Short mmCIF file of all heavy atoms in Angstrom, two decimals:
data_model
loop_
_atom_site.label_atom_id
_atom_site.label_comp_id
_atom_site.label_asym_id
_atom_site.label_seq_id
_atom_site.Cartn_x
_atom_site.Cartn_y
_atom_site.Cartn_z
N MET A 1 141.75 141.11 54.41
CA MET A 1 140.44 140.50 54.50
C MET A 1 140.60 139.09 55.06
O MET A 1 141.37 138.30 54.57
CB MET A 1 139.82 140.45 53.11
CG MET A 1 138.46 139.85 53.08
SD MET A 1 137.74 140.18 51.45
CE MET A 1 136.94 138.64 51.17
N THR A 2 139.86 138.77 56.10
CA THR A 2 139.95 137.44 56.70
C THR A 2 138.96 136.51 56.03
O THR A 2 137.90 136.92 55.56
CB THR A 2 139.65 137.49 58.22
OG1 THR A 2 138.34 138.01 58.40
CG2 THR A 2 140.66 138.35 58.94
N ALA A 3 139.32 135.24 56.00
CA ALA A 3 138.44 134.24 55.40
C ALA A 3 137.22 134.05 56.30
O ALA A 3 137.32 134.11 57.52
CB ALA A 3 139.19 132.92 55.24
N PRO A 4 136.05 133.84 55.70
CA PRO A 4 134.85 133.62 56.52
C PRO A 4 134.98 132.33 57.32
O PRO A 4 135.61 131.38 56.87
CB PRO A 4 133.73 133.52 55.49
CG PRO A 4 134.40 133.15 54.22
CD PRO A 4 135.78 133.73 54.27
N ILE A 5 134.42 132.36 58.50
CA ILE A 5 134.43 131.15 59.33
C ILE A 5 133.46 130.17 58.69
O ILE A 5 132.29 130.49 58.48
CB ILE A 5 134.01 131.48 60.77
CG1 ILE A 5 135.02 132.41 61.41
CG2 ILE A 5 133.86 130.20 61.59
CD1 ILE A 5 134.63 132.95 62.75
N PRO A 6 133.96 128.98 58.36
CA PRO A 6 133.08 128.03 57.68
C PRO A 6 132.07 127.40 58.63
O PRO A 6 132.26 127.37 59.84
CB PRO A 6 134.05 126.96 57.16
CG PRO A 6 135.18 127.00 58.12
CD PRO A 6 135.30 128.44 58.55
N GLU A 7 131.01 126.91 58.05
CA GLU A 7 130.06 126.10 58.79
C GLU A 7 130.76 124.77 59.04
O GLU A 7 131.54 124.31 58.22
CB GLU A 7 128.79 125.91 57.95
CG GLU A 7 127.65 125.36 58.74
CD GLU A 7 126.33 125.43 57.99
OE1 GLU A 7 126.10 126.42 57.26
OE2 GLU A 7 125.54 124.50 58.15
N ARG A 8 130.49 124.13 60.16
CA ARG A 8 131.18 122.88 60.50
C ARG A 8 130.21 121.71 60.60
O ARG A 8 129.09 121.86 61.05
CB ARG A 8 131.93 123.05 61.81
CG ARG A 8 133.13 123.97 61.64
CD ARG A 8 133.95 124.09 62.92
NE ARG A 8 135.16 124.85 62.69
CZ ARG A 8 135.22 126.16 62.66
NH1 ARG A 8 134.12 126.87 62.82
NH2 ARG A 8 136.37 126.77 62.45
N LEU A 9 130.72 120.55 60.19
CA LEU A 9 129.97 119.30 60.28
C LEU A 9 130.90 118.27 60.89
O LEU A 9 131.95 117.96 60.32
CB LEU A 9 129.53 118.85 58.88
CG LEU A 9 128.94 117.44 58.78
CD1 LEU A 9 127.65 117.34 59.58
CD2 LEU A 9 128.69 117.08 57.33
N ASP A 10 130.55 117.75 62.05
CA ASP A 10 131.34 116.71 62.71
C ASP A 10 130.81 115.35 62.30
O ASP A 10 129.74 114.94 62.71
CB ASP A 10 131.28 116.88 64.22
CG ASP A 10 132.19 115.92 64.97
OD1 ASP A 10 132.79 115.02 64.33
OD2 ASP A 10 132.30 116.05 66.20
N ALA A 11 131.59 114.66 61.45
CA ALA A 11 131.20 113.33 60.98
C ALA A 11 132.12 112.26 61.56
O ALA A 11 132.20 111.17 61.01
CB ALA A 11 131.22 113.30 59.45
N THR A 12 132.79 112.58 62.66
CA THR A 12 133.67 111.58 63.27
C THR A 12 132.82 110.44 63.82
O THR A 12 131.71 110.65 64.30
CB THR A 12 134.54 112.19 64.39
OG1 THR A 12 133.70 112.82 65.35
CG2 THR A 12 135.53 113.19 63.85
N GLY A 13 133.35 109.24 63.70
CA GLY A 13 132.64 108.06 64.16
C GLY A 13 131.69 107.48 63.14
O GLY A 13 131.15 106.40 63.35
N LEU A 14 131.49 108.17 62.03
CA LEU A 14 130.60 107.68 60.97
C LEU A 14 131.42 106.99 59.89
O LEU A 14 132.50 107.44 59.54
CB LEU A 14 129.81 108.83 60.35
CG LEU A 14 128.94 109.64 61.30
CD1 LEU A 14 128.27 110.79 60.55
CD2 LEU A 14 127.89 108.75 61.95
N LEU A 15 130.89 105.89 59.37
CA LEU A 15 131.58 105.14 58.33
C LEU A 15 130.96 105.43 56.96
O LEU A 15 129.81 105.86 56.86
CB LEU A 15 131.53 103.65 58.63
CG LEU A 15 132.24 103.21 59.91
CD1 LEU A 15 132.06 101.72 60.15
CD2 LEU A 15 133.72 103.58 59.86
N CYS A 16 131.73 105.16 55.92
CA CYS A 16 131.31 105.33 54.53
C CYS A 16 129.96 104.65 54.31
O CYS A 16 129.78 103.54 54.78
CB CYS A 16 132.38 104.71 53.63
SG CYS A 16 132.02 104.82 51.88
N PRO A 17 129.05 105.32 53.68
CA PRO A 17 129.13 106.59 52.97
C PRO A 17 128.58 107.78 53.77
O PRO A 17 128.37 108.84 53.22
CB PRO A 17 128.25 106.34 51.75
CG PRO A 17 127.12 105.51 52.31
CD PRO A 17 127.80 104.59 53.34
N LEU A 18 128.36 107.61 55.07
CA LEU A 18 127.68 108.65 55.85
C LEU A 18 128.37 110.02 55.87
O LEU A 18 127.68 111.04 55.76
CB LEU A 18 127.41 108.16 57.27
CG LEU A 18 126.33 107.08 57.37
CD1 LEU A 18 126.19 106.58 58.81
CD2 LEU A 18 125.00 107.58 56.86
N PRO A 19 129.71 110.11 56.00
CA PRO A 19 130.30 111.46 55.98
C PRO A 19 129.98 112.23 54.69
O PRO A 19 129.63 113.41 54.73
CB PRO A 19 131.81 111.20 56.12
CG PRO A 19 131.87 109.92 56.89
CD PRO A 19 130.72 109.10 56.35
N VAL A 20 130.05 111.55 53.55
CA VAL A 20 129.74 112.21 52.27
C VAL A 20 128.25 112.53 52.18
O VAL A 20 127.88 113.63 51.74
CB VAL A 20 130.19 111.33 51.08
CG1 VAL A 20 129.60 111.83 49.78
CG2 VAL A 20 131.71 111.30 51.00
N LEU A 21 127.40 111.64 52.59
CA LEU A 21 125.96 111.89 52.53
C LEU A 21 125.55 113.07 53.41
O LEU A 21 124.73 113.90 53.00
CB LEU A 21 125.17 110.64 52.92
CG LEU A 21 125.29 109.45 51.97
CD1 LEU A 21 124.54 108.26 52.53
CD2 LEU A 21 124.78 109.81 50.58
N ARG A 22 126.13 113.15 54.60
CA ARG A 22 125.83 114.29 55.48
C ARG A 22 126.37 115.59 54.91
O ARG A 22 125.73 116.64 55.00
CB ARG A 22 126.40 114.04 56.88
CG ARG A 22 125.80 112.80 57.53
CD ARG A 22 124.93 113.14 58.72
NE ARG A 22 124.23 111.96 59.19
CZ ARG A 22 124.43 111.40 60.37
NH1 ARG A 22 125.32 111.90 61.20
NH2 ARG A 22 123.73 110.35 60.73
N ALA A 23 127.57 115.53 54.31
CA ALA A 23 128.14 116.73 53.68
C ALA A 23 127.27 117.18 52.51
O ALA A 23 127.00 118.37 52.36
CB ALA A 23 129.57 116.45 53.21
N ARG A 24 126.80 116.24 51.72
CA ARG A 24 125.94 116.57 50.57
C ARG A 24 124.67 117.27 51.04
O ARG A 24 124.27 118.29 50.48
CB ARG A 24 125.57 115.30 49.81
CG ARG A 24 124.58 115.56 48.69
CD ARG A 24 124.22 114.30 47.98
NE ARG A 24 125.41 113.78 47.32
CZ ARG A 24 125.46 112.67 46.63
NH1 ARG A 24 124.40 111.91 46.51
NH2 ARG A 24 126.57 112.28 46.06
N LYS A 25 124.05 116.74 52.09
CA LYS A 25 122.81 117.33 52.60
C LYS A 25 123.06 118.74 53.14
O LYS A 25 122.29 119.66 52.87
CB LYS A 25 122.24 116.44 53.70
CG LYS A 25 120.91 116.91 54.23
CD LYS A 25 120.34 115.93 55.23
CE LYS A 25 119.00 116.40 55.74
NZ LYS A 25 118.42 115.45 56.69
N ARG A 26 124.14 118.91 53.89
CA ARG A 26 124.44 120.23 54.46
C ARG A 26 124.77 121.24 53.36
O ARG A 26 124.30 122.37 53.39
CB ARG A 26 125.60 120.10 55.44
CG ARG A 26 125.98 121.38 56.15
CD ARG A 26 124.95 121.82 57.20
NE ARG A 26 124.92 120.91 58.32
CZ ARG A 26 125.69 121.03 59.39
NH1 ARG A 26 126.55 122.00 59.50
NH2 ARG A 26 125.58 120.15 60.36
N LEU A 27 125.58 120.83 52.38
CA LEU A 27 125.94 121.74 51.29
C LEU A 27 124.72 122.15 50.47
O LEU A 27 124.64 123.29 50.01
CB LEU A 27 126.99 121.09 50.39
CG LEU A 27 128.41 121.07 50.95
CD1 LEU A 27 129.27 120.06 50.20
CD2 LEU A 27 129.04 122.45 50.91
N ALA A 28 123.78 121.25 50.29
CA ALA A 28 122.57 121.56 49.52
C ALA A 28 121.76 122.69 50.15
O ALA A 28 121.07 123.43 49.46
CB ALA A 28 121.70 120.32 49.37
N ALA A 29 121.88 122.84 51.46
CA ALA A 29 121.13 123.88 52.18
C ALA A 29 121.91 125.19 52.27
O ALA A 29 121.40 126.17 52.81
CB ALA A 29 120.80 123.39 53.59
N MET A 30 123.13 125.22 51.73
CA MET A 30 123.99 126.41 51.82
C MET A 30 124.00 127.14 50.47
O MET A 30 123.79 126.53 49.43
CB MET A 30 125.41 125.99 52.20
CG MET A 30 125.49 125.34 53.57
SD MET A 30 127.10 124.58 53.93
CE MET A 30 128.14 126.04 54.03
N PRO A 31 124.25 128.45 50.48
CA PRO A 31 124.31 129.19 49.21
C PRO A 31 125.61 128.89 48.46
O PRO A 31 126.61 128.53 49.08
CB PRO A 31 124.25 130.65 49.67
CG PRO A 31 124.82 130.64 51.04
CD PRO A 31 124.41 129.32 51.65
N PRO A 32 125.61 129.03 47.15
CA PRO A 32 126.84 128.85 46.38
C PRO A 32 127.96 129.75 46.92
O PRO A 32 127.71 130.90 47.28
CB PRO A 32 126.45 129.25 44.97
CG PRO A 32 124.98 128.99 44.90
CD PRO A 32 124.48 129.33 46.28
N GLY A 33 129.15 129.20 47.00
CA GLY A 33 130.30 129.96 47.51
C GLY A 33 130.53 129.81 48.99
O GLY A 33 131.59 130.17 49.50
N ALA A 34 129.54 129.29 49.72
CA ALA A 34 129.69 129.09 51.16
C ALA A 34 130.69 127.96 51.41
O ALA A 34 130.88 127.09 50.57
CB ALA A 34 128.35 128.77 51.80
N VAL A 35 131.32 128.00 52.58
CA VAL A 35 132.35 127.02 52.92
C VAL A 35 131.87 126.13 54.07
O VAL A 35 131.35 126.61 55.07
CB VAL A 35 133.67 127.72 53.30
CG1 VAL A 35 134.71 126.71 53.74
CG2 VAL A 35 134.20 128.53 52.13
N LEU A 36 132.06 124.84 53.88
CA LEU A 36 131.72 123.84 54.89
C LEU A 36 132.99 123.11 55.28
O LEU A 36 133.75 122.68 54.41
CB LEU A 36 130.70 122.83 54.34
CG LEU A 36 130.35 121.65 55.25
CD1 LEU A 36 129.61 122.13 56.50
CD2 LEU A 36 129.50 120.63 54.49
N GLU A 37 133.22 122.98 56.57
CA GLU A 37 134.34 122.19 57.06
C GLU A 37 133.78 120.90 57.65
O GLU A 37 132.96 120.93 58.54
CB GLU A 37 135.14 122.94 58.12
CG GLU A 37 136.38 122.17 58.56
CD GLU A 37 137.24 122.97 59.50
OE1 GLU A 37 136.99 122.91 60.72
OE2 GLU A 37 138.15 123.67 59.02
N VAL A 38 134.22 119.78 57.08
CA VAL A 38 133.76 118.46 57.52
C VAL A 38 134.91 117.79 58.26
O VAL A 38 136.02 117.69 57.72
CB VAL A 38 133.33 117.59 56.32
CG1 VAL A 38 132.86 116.22 56.80
CG2 VAL A 38 132.26 118.27 55.50
N LEU A 39 134.65 117.33 59.46
CA LEU A 39 135.63 116.58 60.24
C LEU A 39 135.23 115.12 60.20
O LEU A 39 134.13 114.76 60.61
CB LEU A 39 135.67 117.09 61.68
CG LEU A 39 136.78 116.54 62.56
CD1 LEU A 39 138.14 116.95 62.02
CD2 LEU A 39 136.62 117.04 63.99
N ALA A 40 136.12 114.26 59.65
CA ALA A 40 135.80 112.84 59.51
C ALA A 40 137.02 112.01 59.86
O ALA A 40 138.15 112.41 59.60
CB ALA A 40 135.35 112.54 58.08
N ASP A 41 136.77 110.83 60.46
CA ASP A 41 137.86 109.92 60.79
C ASP A 41 137.74 108.58 60.06
O ASP A 41 138.53 107.67 60.29
CB ASP A 41 137.99 109.72 62.30
CG ASP A 41 136.71 109.20 62.95
OD1 ASP A 41 135.72 108.96 62.24
OD2 ASP A 41 136.72 109.04 64.18
N ASP A 42 136.79 108.47 59.15
CA ASP A 42 136.64 107.26 58.35
C ASP A 42 137.79 107.22 57.34
O ASP A 42 137.98 108.17 56.58
CB ASP A 42 135.30 107.29 57.62
CG ASP A 42 135.10 106.11 56.69
OD1 ASP A 42 135.77 105.07 56.88
OD2 ASP A 42 134.27 106.22 55.77
N PRO A 43 138.58 106.14 57.31
CA PRO A 43 139.71 106.07 56.37
C PRO A 43 139.29 106.23 54.90
O PRO A 43 140.05 106.76 54.10
CB PRO A 43 140.29 104.68 56.60
CG PRO A 43 139.84 104.28 57.96
CD PRO A 43 138.52 104.97 58.18
N ALA A 44 138.09 105.83 54.55
CA ALA A 44 137.62 105.95 53.17
C ALA A 44 137.35 107.40 52.77
O ALA A 44 137.34 107.73 51.58
CB ALA A 44 136.36 105.12 52.96
N ALA A 45 137.16 108.28 53.73
CA ALA A 45 136.87 109.68 53.43
C ALA A 45 138.01 110.37 52.68
O ALA A 45 137.78 111.31 51.92
CB ALA A 45 136.55 110.45 54.71
N VAL A 46 139.24 109.88 52.86
CA VAL A 46 140.40 110.46 52.17
C VAL A 46 140.21 110.36 50.65
O VAL A 46 140.64 111.23 49.91
CB VAL A 46 141.70 109.75 52.61
CG1 VAL A 46 142.89 110.21 51.81
CG2 VAL A 46 141.93 109.98 54.09
N VAL A 47 139.55 109.31 50.20
CA VAL A 47 139.26 109.13 48.78
C VAL A 47 137.87 109.69 48.44
O VAL A 47 137.68 110.36 47.42
CB VAL A 47 139.33 107.63 48.40
CG1 VAL A 47 138.87 107.41 46.97
CG2 VAL A 47 140.73 107.10 48.61
N ASP A 48 136.91 109.43 49.32
CA ASP A 48 135.51 109.79 49.04
C ASP A 48 135.26 111.29 48.96
O ASP A 48 134.52 111.74 48.08
CB ASP A 48 134.59 109.19 50.11
CG ASP A 48 134.51 107.68 50.05
OD1 ASP A 48 134.96 107.10 49.04
OD2 ASP A 48 134.01 107.08 51.03
N MET A 49 135.82 112.07 49.86
CA MET A 49 135.54 113.52 49.87
C MET A 49 136.06 114.21 48.61
O MET A 49 135.29 114.96 47.98
CB MET A 49 136.12 114.19 51.13
CG MET A 49 135.32 113.94 52.36
SD MET A 49 133.67 114.67 52.28
CE MET A 49 133.05 114.10 53.84
N PRO A 50 137.32 114.01 48.20
CA PRO A 50 137.76 114.64 46.95
C PRO A 50 136.94 114.18 45.73
O PRO A 50 136.60 114.99 44.86
CB PRO A 50 139.22 114.21 46.81
CG PRO A 50 139.66 113.92 48.21
CD PRO A 50 138.44 113.36 48.89
N HIS A 51 136.59 112.90 45.69
CA HIS A 51 135.78 112.38 44.58
C HIS A 51 134.39 113.02 44.58
O HIS A 51 133.90 113.44 43.52
CB HIS A 51 135.67 110.86 44.70
CG HIS A 51 134.85 110.24 43.62
ND1 HIS A 51 135.30 110.11 42.33
CD2 HIS A 51 133.59 109.73 43.64
CE1 HIS A 51 134.34 109.55 41.59
NE2 HIS A 51 133.30 109.31 42.37
N PHE A 52 133.78 113.11 45.74
CA PHE A 52 132.47 113.75 45.87
C PHE A 52 132.52 115.19 45.37
O PHE A 52 131.65 115.62 44.59
CB PHE A 52 132.02 113.70 47.34
CG PHE A 52 130.95 114.69 47.68
CD1 PHE A 52 129.66 114.53 47.21
CD2 PHE A 52 131.23 115.78 48.49
CE1 PHE A 52 128.66 115.44 47.53
CE2 PHE A 52 130.24 116.70 48.81
CZ PHE A 52 128.96 116.54 48.33
N CYS A 53 133.54 115.94 45.78
CA CYS A 53 133.66 117.34 45.36
C CYS A 53 133.80 117.45 43.85
O CYS A 53 133.14 118.27 43.21
CB CYS A 53 134.86 118.00 46.04
SG CYS A 53 134.61 118.24 47.81
N ALA A 54 134.66 116.61 43.27
CA ALA A 54 134.87 116.65 41.82
C ALA A 54 133.59 116.30 41.06
O ALA A 54 133.26 116.94 40.06
CB ALA A 54 136.00 115.70 41.44
N GLU A 55 132.87 115.30 41.54
CA GLU A 55 131.65 114.86 40.86
C GLU A 55 130.51 115.87 40.98
O GLU A 55 129.70 115.99 40.07
CB GLU A 55 131.19 113.52 41.44
CG GLU A 55 132.08 112.36 41.07
CD GLU A 55 132.03 112.01 39.59
OE1 GLU A 55 130.92 111.95 39.04
OE2 GLU A 55 133.11 111.84 39.01
N GLN A 56 130.44 116.59 42.10
CA GLN A 56 129.31 117.49 42.36
C GLN A 56 129.60 118.95 42.04
O GLN A 56 128.74 119.80 42.23
CB GLN A 56 128.88 117.37 43.83
CG GLN A 56 128.38 115.98 44.20
CD GLN A 56 127.15 115.58 43.41
OE1 GLN A 56 126.19 116.34 43.31
NE2 GLN A 56 127.17 114.38 42.85
N GLY A 57 130.83 119.25 41.61
CA GLY A 57 131.17 120.62 41.23
C GLY A 57 131.52 121.52 42.40
O GLY A 57 131.47 122.74 42.29
N HIS A 58 131.91 120.93 43.54
CA HIS A 58 132.35 121.71 44.69
C HIS A 58 133.88 121.79 44.66
O HIS A 58 134.54 120.96 44.03
CB HIS A 58 131.90 121.06 45.99
CG HIS A 58 130.43 120.85 46.09
ND1 HIS A 58 129.50 121.86 45.90
CD2 HIS A 58 129.70 119.72 46.34
CE1 HIS A 58 128.28 121.37 46.04
NE2 HIS A 58 128.37 120.07 46.30
N GLU A 59 134.44 122.77 45.35
CA GLU A 59 135.88 122.94 45.40
C GLU A 59 136.42 122.48 46.74
O GLU A 59 136.01 122.98 47.79
CB GLU A 59 136.23 124.42 45.18
CG GLU A 59 137.71 124.69 45.17
CD GLU A 59 138.03 126.17 45.00
OE1 GLU A 59 137.10 126.99 44.88
OE2 GLU A 59 139.22 126.50 45.01
N LEU A 60 137.35 121.54 46.71
CA LEU A 60 138.01 121.09 47.94
C LEU A 60 139.14 122.07 48.21
O LEU A 60 140.15 122.08 47.51
CB LEU A 60 138.54 119.66 47.79
CG LEU A 60 139.20 119.06 49.02
CD1 LEU A 60 138.23 118.98 50.20
CD2 LEU A 60 139.76 117.68 48.71
N LEU A 61 138.96 122.92 49.21
CA LEU A 61 139.93 123.97 49.51
C LEU A 61 141.12 123.46 50.32
O LEU A 61 142.23 123.94 50.15
CB LEU A 61 139.26 125.11 50.29
CG LEU A 61 138.08 125.80 49.60
CD1 LEU A 61 137.42 126.78 50.55
CD2 LEU A 61 138.56 126.52 48.35
N ALA A 62 140.86 122.52 51.22
CA ALA A 62 141.92 122.01 52.09
C ALA A 62 141.54 120.64 52.61
O ALA A 62 140.37 120.31 52.74
CB ALA A 62 142.15 122.97 53.26
N GLN A 63 142.58 119.88 52.91
CA GLN A 63 142.43 118.55 53.50
C GLN A 63 143.56 118.46 54.53
O GLN A 63 144.71 118.28 54.17
CB GLN A 63 142.57 117.50 52.40
CG GLN A 63 142.36 116.09 52.85
CD GLN A 63 142.32 115.14 51.65
OE1 GLN A 63 141.84 115.49 50.57
NE2 GLN A 63 142.84 113.95 51.85
N GLU A 64 143.22 118.65 55.82
CA GLU A 64 144.23 118.79 56.86
C GLU A 64 144.05 117.74 57.95
O GLU A 64 142.94 117.56 58.45
CB GLU A 64 144.14 120.18 57.50
CG GLU A 64 144.28 121.31 56.52
CD GLU A 64 143.88 122.65 57.11
OE1 GLU A 64 143.18 122.69 58.15
OE2 GLU A 64 144.25 123.67 56.51
N PRO A 65 145.15 117.07 58.33
CA PRO A 65 145.06 116.12 59.44
C PRO A 65 144.74 116.83 60.75
O PRO A 65 145.19 117.95 60.99
CB PRO A 65 146.43 115.45 59.48
CG PRO A 65 147.33 116.34 58.71
CD PRO A 65 146.50 117.18 57.80
N ARG A 66 143.96 116.17 61.57
CA ARG A 66 143.61 116.68 62.90
C ARG A 66 143.91 115.60 63.92
O ARG A 66 144.34 114.50 63.59
CB ARG A 66 142.13 117.08 62.96
CG ARG A 66 141.77 118.23 62.05
CD ARG A 66 142.33 119.55 62.58
NE ARG A 66 142.23 120.62 61.61
CZ ARG A 66 141.21 121.43 61.48
NH1 ARG A 66 140.15 121.29 62.24
NH2 ARG A 66 141.23 122.40 60.58
N GLU A 67 143.63 115.89 65.17
CA GLU A 67 143.93 114.94 66.24
C GLU A 67 143.06 113.69 66.17
O GLU A 67 142.01 113.69 65.52
CB GLU A 67 143.78 115.62 67.61
CG GLU A 67 142.39 116.11 67.93
CD GLU A 67 142.01 117.43 67.28
OE1 GLU A 67 142.88 118.17 66.80
OE2 GLU A 67 140.81 117.72 67.25
N ARG A 68 143.52 112.64 66.78
CA ARG A 68 142.82 111.35 66.89
C ARG A 68 142.47 110.73 65.53
O ARG A 68 141.41 110.11 65.37
CB ARG A 68 141.58 111.48 67.76
CG ARG A 68 141.91 111.76 69.23
CD ARG A 68 140.68 111.74 70.09
NE ARG A 68 139.81 112.87 69.83
CZ ARG A 68 139.82 114.01 70.51
NH1 ARG A 68 140.65 114.17 71.51
NH2 ARG A 68 139.00 114.98 70.21
N GLY A 69 143.36 110.91 64.56
CA GLY A 69 143.17 110.28 63.27
C GLY A 69 142.11 110.90 62.37
O GLY A 69 141.77 110.35 61.34
N ALA A 70 141.60 112.04 62.74
CA ALA A 70 140.58 112.72 61.94
C ALA A 70 141.23 113.60 60.88
O ALA A 70 142.41 113.97 60.99
CB ALA A 70 139.65 113.54 62.82
N THR A 71 140.47 113.94 59.87
CA THR A 71 140.89 114.87 58.83
C THR A 71 139.80 115.91 58.66
O THR A 71 138.61 115.58 58.68
CB THR A 71 141.13 114.13 57.50
OG1 THR A 71 142.12 113.12 57.71
CG2 THR A 71 141.61 115.07 56.41
N ALA A 72 140.21 117.16 58.48
CA ALA A 72 139.27 118.24 58.21
C ALA A 72 139.28 118.52 56.71
O ALA A 72 140.34 118.69 56.11
CB ALA A 72 139.65 119.50 58.98
N TYR A 73 138.11 118.53 56.12
CA TYR A 73 137.94 118.82 54.70
C TYR A 73 137.20 120.14 54.58
O TYR A 73 136.09 120.27 55.08
CB TYR A 73 137.13 117.72 54.01
CG TYR A 73 137.75 116.36 54.16
CD1 TYR A 73 137.43 115.55 55.25
CD2 TYR A 73 138.68 115.89 53.25
CE1 TYR A 73 138.01 114.30 55.41
CE2 TYR A 73 139.28 114.65 53.40
CZ TYR A 73 138.94 113.87 54.48
OH TYR A 73 139.52 112.64 54.64
N ARG A 74 137.81 121.12 53.94
CA ARG A 74 137.18 122.42 53.75
C ARG A 74 136.68 122.48 52.32
O ARG A 74 137.46 122.39 51.39
CB ARG A 74 138.19 123.52 54.05
CG ARG A 74 137.56 124.82 54.42
CD ARG A 74 138.61 125.78 54.89
NE ARG A 74 138.76 125.65 56.34
CZ ARG A 74 138.84 126.69 57.14
NH1 ARG A 74 138.86 127.91 56.67
NH2 ARG A 74 138.95 126.51 58.43
N ILE A 75 135.37 122.60 52.18
CA ILE A 75 134.71 122.51 50.88
C ILE A 75 133.94 123.80 50.58
O ILE A 75 133.14 124.25 51.40
CB ILE A 75 133.72 121.32 50.86
CG1 ILE A 75 134.46 120.02 51.20
CG2 ILE A 75 133.01 121.24 49.52
CD1 ILE A 75 133.52 118.87 51.52
N ARG A 76 134.18 124.37 49.38
CA ARG A 76 133.39 125.52 48.94
C ARG A 76 132.30 125.00 48.01
O ARG A 76 132.57 124.31 47.04
CB ARG A 76 134.26 126.54 48.19
CG ARG A 76 133.47 127.78 47.77
CD ARG A 76 134.24 128.77 46.94
NE ARG A 76 135.61 128.97 47.34
CZ ARG A 76 136.03 129.81 48.30
NH1 ARG A 76 135.15 130.53 48.97
NH2 ARG A 76 137.31 129.94 48.58
N ARG A 77 131.06 125.36 48.34
CA ARG A 77 129.92 124.89 47.55
C ARG A 77 129.97 125.49 46.15
O ARG A 77 130.17 126.69 45.97
CB ARG A 77 128.61 125.27 48.22
CG ARG A 77 127.39 124.69 47.51
CD ARG A 77 126.11 125.19 48.14
NE ARG A 77 124.94 124.53 47.66
CZ ARG A 77 124.32 124.81 46.52
NH1 ARG A 77 124.81 125.72 45.71
NH2 ARG A 77 123.24 124.15 46.17
N GLY A 78 129.77 124.64 45.18
CA GLY A 78 129.72 125.09 43.79
C GLY A 78 128.38 125.72 43.46
O GLY A 78 127.44 125.66 44.25
N GLY A 79 128.33 126.34 42.31
CA GLY A 79 127.13 127.05 41.90
C GLY A 79 126.20 126.17 41.15
O GLY A 79 125.07 126.28 40.99
#
């Protein structure tokens, strides 16, 4: 069984708190269990995204470096 292709949100070029705020808005419109991949290059996102997930009951599935200093955060929406 292959993993579902996540919905993507490009938050590159945005500074704190915008990547988290955009992720929150997008996740709110998704059903529980859906996966969102957020691409962000804000240095604060390395701390903000895991904290946001823990506080809001979402699961941070992966945090992977990407090109040009960006990081991809794969988040499963909590119930």
Side-chain angles (χ1 to χ4, degrees):
M1 181 168 140
T2 60
I5 296 172
E7 193 168 323
R8 289 183 174 81
L9 170 64
D10 185 354
T12 55
L14 301 177
L15 297 177
C16 180
L18 289 177
V20 167
L21 294 176
R22 299 248 172 115
R24 175 181 295 178
K25 184 175 181 179
R26 183 72 68 89
L27 284 163
M30 297 170 67
V35 176
L36 175 66
E37 185 174 87
V38 180
L39 188 63
D41 57 2
D42 176 21
V46 173
V47 174
D48 292 346
M49 284 295 178
H51 179 74
F52 161 71
C53 290
E55 289 292 314
Q56 298 298 312
H58 303 307
E59 181 182 0
L60 182 61
L61 301 173
Q63 184 172 326
E64 303 167 342
R66 295 288 169 89
E67 62 280 344
R68 292 186 291 265
T71 302
Y73 303 90
R74 203 172 269 225
I75 303 167
R76 182 184 321 275
R77 186 185 189 280

